[in-house]
Amino acid sequence: MSLSHIENIIFQYYPSKVWIQEPLGTVELYTFLESIKNPKPQIKETFLEIQKATESGDLKRKDWLKQNKLFYVTPSVVTNGYGRKIDDIISYNPVMVVEFDKISFAEELKNYLFNKMSCIVAGYVSPSGKGSKFVVRIPKPNSLEEYKEYFCGIAYYLSQITGFDIANFNVILPHFITWDENILIRKWEDTVPWTIRGAKINSFKE
């Protein structure tokens, strides 16, 4: 894939209030990853507040901060700009997000999977330190079903690890900006797409 094509891996970012469905603009994949490594000062302050709320068990405060102080992206899709529904999708990107939540080994898992799986473009830990997220390269899907097949394919393997979250089966799930100064980023030309497909057990029809 040429550099010019890499620069075309763009997706929308939205205000933190998830009920607002019109994007504020677009961001390129590697620009987004760099923003995780070094967010703006006000974003860093919000993350520190989220960490304090998590440590104190104040989940209501944590959710309020995420909803009112941060923004989110939808890395796997581009929409028509009028909504954030399946019918609003106009194209798919050759990336998907997989994540693990409520684990005590987030940093260890980040390093382990990044070094083990060359399909991973980036790996990072959530502000709470209790979750790991990974951007995975896949062949560019031509449909929602293709995306789901790739997700189910990788989920078959990763779900054997404690804390795997199936939420990203939803291709347009809000993905909140995070902060990890030690984010692991792999050059696109050094990645190998994940190509194994799968399916949900209840997706087969007679």
Side-chain angles (χ1 to χ4, degrees):
M1 181 173 291
S2 67
L3 182 60
S4 60
H5 196 129
I6 294 173
E7 291 173 341
N8 286 332
I9 301 179
I10 61 172
F11 38 84
Q12 286 125 327
Y13 64 92
Y14 296 77
S16 55
K17 297 178 176 63
V18 293
W19 57 87
I20 299 176
Q21 298 191 3
E22 294 184 8
L24 296 173
T26 60
V27 61
E28 188 269 331
L29 172 62
Y30 280 87
T31 300
F32 171 70
L33 297 178
E34 286 298 327
S35 73
I36 292 175
K37 184 178 181 68
N38 187 27
K40 295 179 179 179
Q42 62 267 32
I43 298 295
K44 290 182 179 180
E45 182 60 34
T46 297
F47 285 134
L48 293 174
E49 291 186 51
I50 289 174
Q51 185 176 14
K52 290 178 182 177
T54 302
E55 292 172 351
S56 66
D58 190 349
L59 299 184
K60 186 174 181 180
R61 172 67 175 169
K62 175 185 174 182
D63 290 341
W64 184 90
L65 288 167
K66 288 179 66 176
Q67 292 288 335
N68 292 276
K69 297 289 187 177
L70 300 179
F71 67 89
Y72 69 87
V73 297
T74 51
S76 295
V77 299
V78 176
T79 71
N80 56 21
Y82 299 112
R84 195 174 53 79
K85 302 181 180 68
I86 296 299
D87 291 342
D88 294 311
I89 295 173
I90 59 174
S91 66
Y92 296 85
N93 284 323
V95 293
M96 66 181 176
V97 176
V98 295
E99 58 187 289
F100 298 79
D101 197 16
K102 298 178 181 177
I103 56 176
S104 60
F105 49 91
E107 188 72 30
E108 180 183 358
L109 182 62
K110 178 185 76 173
N111 287 280
Y112 172 75
L113 288 183
F114 185 85
N115 291 321
K116 184 179 178 65
M117 303 177 69
S118 57
C119 62
I120 293 178
V121 180
Y124 42 98
V125 172
S126 63
S128 67
K130 301 296 184 181
S132 300
K133 300 177 187 292
F134 302 89
V135 176
V136 177
R137 179 180 175 182
I138 59 174
K140 182 178 174 66
N142 293 309
S143 67
L144 177 61
E145 289 308 311
E146 278 192 31
Y147 168 86
K148 289 180 177 180
E149 288 172 0
Y150 289 125
F151 183 83
C152 289
I154 201 168
Y156 176 81
Y157 294 92
L158 296 184
S159 61
Q160 299 177 57
I161 301 174
T162 299
F164 181 75
D165 193 338
I166 64 170
N168 287 286
F169 184 71
N170 176 2
V171 68
I172 204 165
L173 186 76
H175 184 68
F176 283 89
I177 182 68
T178 187
W179 177 20
D180 183 356
E181 294 178 351
N182 299 310
I183 182 176
L184 300 174
I185 302 174
R186 179 176 280 119
K187 293 180 180 179
W188 187 264
E189 57 267 28
D190 293 334
T191 61
V192 178
W194 175 271
T195 58
I196 298 174
R197 302 190 191 193
K200 290 179 70 177
I201 292 175
N202 64 359
S203 66
F204 295 99
K205 296 183 179 180
E206 224 177 322

